[in-house]
Amino acid sequence: MTTNRNSPCVVHLVRTSHRTVDGQGGGNRPPVGGPDGGSSSVYNSSEDEKGSTGGRNGSGERGNGRYEKKLMPTNIVSVVAFNVVYNVVLLNDSTIEIGQGVSGPACQILRSAWAPPAWMKTNGMVNGNGTLRDGPGSTIWESYSRYLIKFLDAYKDAGVDVWGMTVQNEPMTGFVFAHRWNTCGFTAAKERDFITQHLGPNLRAAGYNTSTNFSLMILDDDREYIQNWTDTILGDPTASQFVAGSAIHFYFDEAAHPDPVSVLDKIDARFNKFILLTKASRKFGDDPVGLGSWNLAESYLIAIIIRN
């Protein structure tokens, strides 16, 4: 791709096809501001307001309380006793309903786990550097897998079918000291074990089956990690049967590989599972949105189209 710096609206593309684009996504985590949390203004911020075919919503993300987990257990580790009651007001009158309303094709809802309850983590905090306590096969790991399924069930009970989920948003941030956002650290091997021994079988038993009606995705982090994640998880026959594809973010793409598209091509050919770009979000200076910024448009174009 080349651009004319003197006329930033002129973009020359080299037409090379690599993957099929299923649609344009939009993030709809519990937002802040406005009678509907500001979500309708996000979906209607461009002329092509009917173009969003995917929405991303997170478990354990920060928000304004329109969606909250109540009665969070503080010391219950028994799988039988473990129960979370959800306030699903958001589902009935906010972002998901709005997203379905403005989307032309059926809107596919993707959810992503950001953090377990703090007591399930090694550092006792929802943010910061910490991992899931006690290790594979433990009651904590089993309880957390069922916690995630309860999240999916809460949506289903409210009439919202979730198309897919990622095991963990940006799992490598869970190893960053004093990381400010909600997180939980997983290495590729730990995520494989969590899927194989807990989440995968429990999802299937609850009716969320990767081969028929549900898409479980691995990684959900920067592209530089995808080779290790796919080798470790998709290369494991037991784990692979529960996984529909891989999710990647566009941050630090330049660190991934001199030719980042070739990495995805090889993974495509080897595993025959989809690769989904689940996050591309940037801001410049004090402007949180960057409407009208050609530099921002170019960065998204490169990340979303050219490098995929």
Side-chain angles (χ1 to χ4, degrees):
M1 188 194 88
T2 61
T3 61
N4 185 330
R5 293 292 180 180
N6 295 322
S7 301
C9 61
V10 178
V11 180
H12 305 282
L13 298 178
V14 177
R15 295 180 178 272
T16 303
S17 299
H18 293 274
R19 269 156 289 282
T20 299
V21 177
D22 288 332
Q24 174 183 340
N28 62 331
R29 66 184 179 184
V32 178
D36 64 357
S39 55
S40 59
S41 63
V42 173
Y43 278 99
N44 294 307
S45 62
S46 67
E47 293 181 8
D48 184 20
E49 64 187 45
K50 304 294 186 183
S52 181
T53 56
R56 176 186 174 95
N57 187 272
S59 166
E61 295 193 41
R62 303 164 74 100
N64 67 348
R66 298 289 307 279
Y67 183 90
E68 60 187 53
K69 293 178 282 293
K70 300 194 300 183
L71 304 182
M72 184 74 73
T74 57
N75 58 7
I76 301 172
V77 295
S78 168
V79 173
V80 175
F82 184 56
N83 186 33
V84 178
V85 178
Y86 289 93
N87 173 3
V88 291
V89 174
L90 173 71
L91 302 179
N92 296 322
D93 68 358
S94 191
T95 57
I96 290 179
E97 185 175 86
I98 292 167
Q100 294 281 16
V102 301
S103 176
C107 185
Q108 294 177 312
I109 306 299
L110 161 65
R111 54 85 56 206
S112 179
W114 279 46
W119 60 272
M120 287 186 166
K121 289 183 57 185
T122 54
N123 64 344
M125 301 166 58
V126 293
N127 60 347
N129 54 318
T131 61
L132 203 56
R133 281 176 42 197
D134 298 353
S138 68
T139 303
I140 289 286
W141 280 46
E142 178 68 9
S143 294
Y144 183 51
S145 72
R146 299 197 178 199
Y147 172 92
L148 294 176
I149 293 168
K150 284 179 179 289
F151 183 81
L152 298 174
D153 288 343
Y155 277 92
K156 182 184 290 185
D157 292 343
V160 177
D161 289 324
V162 177
W163 167 77
M165 68 175 285
T166 68
V167 179
Q168 171 64 44
N169 173 70
E170 298 180 352
M172 295 306 291
T173 61
F175 302 101
V176 176
F177 179 73
H179 184 69
R180 64 181 297 191
W181 306 116
N182 295 5
T183 188
C184 184
F186 280 94
T187 62
K190 288 292 180 66
E191 189 162 292
R192 175 200 61 204
D193 294 344
F194 183 57
I195 292 169
T196 302
Q197 299 183 38
H198 302 280
L199 185 59
N202 286 337
L203 280 170
R204 184 171 291 178
Y208 301 98
N209 196 321
T210 291
S211 63
T212 58
N213 65 353
F214 190 72
S215 296
L216 181 66
M217 284 153 276
I218 60 171
L219 186 56
D220 206 16
D221 208 327
D222 297 339
R223 187 195 306 251
E224 62 181 301
Y225 305 118
I226 192 171
Q227 191 74 68
N228 178 37
W229 243 258
T230 53
D231 286 348
T232 302
I233 300 175
L234 300 186
D236 182 285
T238 304
S240 183
Q241 67 176 308
F242 298 114
V243 177
S246 304
I248 56 173
H249 296 177
F250 88 144
Y251 310 108
F252 307 108
D253 267 358
E254 64 278 1
H257 192 273
D259 181 15
V261 175
S262 68
V263 175
L264 302 188
D265 287 342
K266 291 175 182 177
I267 292 171
D268 257 348
R270 179 181 175 189
F271 297 110
N272 194 30
K273 292 179 183 285
F274 69 76
I275 300 170
L276 186 65
L277 181 63
T278 52
K279 190 186 289 186
S281 178
R282 228 174 230 168
K283 73 172 190 174
F284 287 89
D286 295 328
D287 183 357
V289 179
L291 291 179
S293 169
W294 283 102
N295 288 331
L296 182 60
E298 182 179 318
S299 72
Y300 282 140
L301 176 66
I302 293 171
I304 296 172
I305 298 178
I306 306 302
R307 288 178 173 163
N308 288 287

